[in-house]
Amino acid sequence: MYNFVITIVIFVDTGLTNKILMFMSLIIIFIAGAINSAIERFVDFVTLEYNELAGKAKDVESSIVFKHFSLCYGMVYCVI
């Protein structure tokens, strides 16, 4: 996925604004993934036993990452 967006940013003949928007959407995915990993590590650090609220927190953060992936694909599709 990342290679696809980076290739489009470099080789597709679009304006500088479109290239910046595509690159920023890719950066947002990296940030969302890092936050997702941080929340999962923190929840695992706080409690080792199963907790329903901890599972819901992980699910919500995973859905946020998925929405950012969808946003990135939508951005690339609109630019192309």
Side-chain angles (χ1 to χ4, degrees):
M1 176 12 202
Y2 302 116
N3 294 333
F4 174 70
V5 174
I6 291 172
T7 303
I8 289 176
V9 169
I10 292 172
F11 292 113
V12 171
D13 186 27
T14 63
L16 182 62
T17 305
N18 291 338
K19 288 184 179 188
I20 290 172
L21 287 174
M22 286 191 292
F23 188 71
M24 287 178 65
S25 67
L26 185 66
I27 295 299
I28 289 172
I29 293 173
F30 283 128
I31 292 170
I35 292 172
N36 182 25
S37 297
I39 288 174
E40 287 184 0
R41 303 273 185 210
F42 182 74
V43 168
D44 291 340
F45 175 74
V46 171
T47 180
L48 293 177
E49 64 269 356
Y50 178 76
N51 187 343
E52 187 175 336
L53 292 176
K56 287 182 181 181
K58 289 181 178 183
D59 290 342
V60 167
E61 184 57 37
S62 296
S63 70
I64 290 172
V65 172
F66 176 73
K67 289 176 186 177
H68 282 99
F69 272 120
S70 300
L71 174 71
C72 183
Y73 276 125
M75 182 83 64
V76 170
Y77 181 75
C78 289
V79 169
I80 293 178

